[in-house]
Amino acid sequence: MSGKYSKIEWQETMNGVTIVCSLDIAIHPADSKVVLLTVPGVDGSVDGFEDKYVKIAESIQEKYSAAIVRMANPFITSYHWESNIRQSLNYIIENTEEITGHKDAEIRIMAHSAGAAIVAQIAWEYPEITRILLINPATKLGIDKIKYGLSEFEGNKITVMFGSEDPSVGDVNELSIADRLRTVICNGADHHFSGDAIEKFTQAPHLYLFD
């Protein structure tokens, strides 16, 4: 199933200016104690290029019976990088029983690019998050904040996966700061895991979030 599509709407106010915001989400409910949240890069769609996030959701649900929430990541302003992810996390937390059939569930996150950078920075604030998979995190969005967030994260597992051709791959050693963190380098893969490398992208949550 491709999921039930919906929309999260809210307002952001800064310096007296109010912005009306929204993002698309797709919900794949299941009787499960695990919710997978997929987070694309900036301006990434809810389905992803060639429906890659749909395919990930369907394969994960078929194999592990997990619930999945897929989110879009529209650009708001350069002062609101965290807003979309926080809104999606709050939605999951507030609607856990509807999504999973349980009052409590753990959240596992697969995030890419700017989405991965922000997840790295804020995941430690949410005790519901137990595992994070960060693919080609955009370290230019604040490597010190990323390192701090990873050091504070108390979940079970952190995996940082870089393509060998990604611009941020040179920061991989600087990010290896937590005992629970493992790094993976995918030879030949670029920032978007183009071409044949897409298979490594779609298999990553199986290997590193449900292993």
Side-chain angles (χ1 to χ4, degrees), residues 18-91:
T18 299
I19 306 171
V20 178
C21 308
S22 68
L23 64 86
D24 295 323
I25 60 170
I27 303 145
H28 302 249
D31 181 1
S32 175
K33 295 285 285 183
V34 176
V35 180
L36 170 64
L37 173 64
T38 59
V39 182
V42 65
D43 275 339
S45 69
V46 66
D47 293 342
F49 179 67
E50 295 185 344
D51 291 339
K52 63 184 178 184
Y53 292 118
V54 178
K55 295 171 184 175
I56 287 168
E58 291 176 344
S59 66
I60 290 291
Q61 192 157 75
E62 180 180 359
K63 188 169 184 178
Y64 306 105
S65 301
I68 296 99
V69 174
R70 297 183 285 112
M71 61 169 279
N73 198 5
F75 179 74
I76 302 175
T77 77
S78 57
Y79 296 101
H80 297 89
W81 288 104
E82 300 177 6
S83 297
N84 294 334
I85 298 170
R86 290 191 184 277
Q87 289 291 330
S88 298
L89 286 169
N90 291 341
Y91 178 89

Side-chain angles (χ1 to χ4, degrees), residues 106 108 129-131 153-158 180-181:
E106 64 175 280
R108 303 178 187 179
I129 301 173
T130 60
R131 301 185 185 190
F153 182 66
E154 296 184 351
N156 299 329
K157 292 183 179 180
I158 305 166
R180 299 176 310 284
L181 188 149

Side-chain angles (χ1 to χ4, degrees), residues 168-187:
S168 296
V169 69
D171 295 322
V172 63
N173 290 331
E174 195 168 352
L175 296 180
S176 302
I177 57 175
D179 293 338
R180 299 176 310 284
L181 188 149
R182 59 182 161 185
T183 57
V184 179
I185 305 297
C186 297
N187 290 331

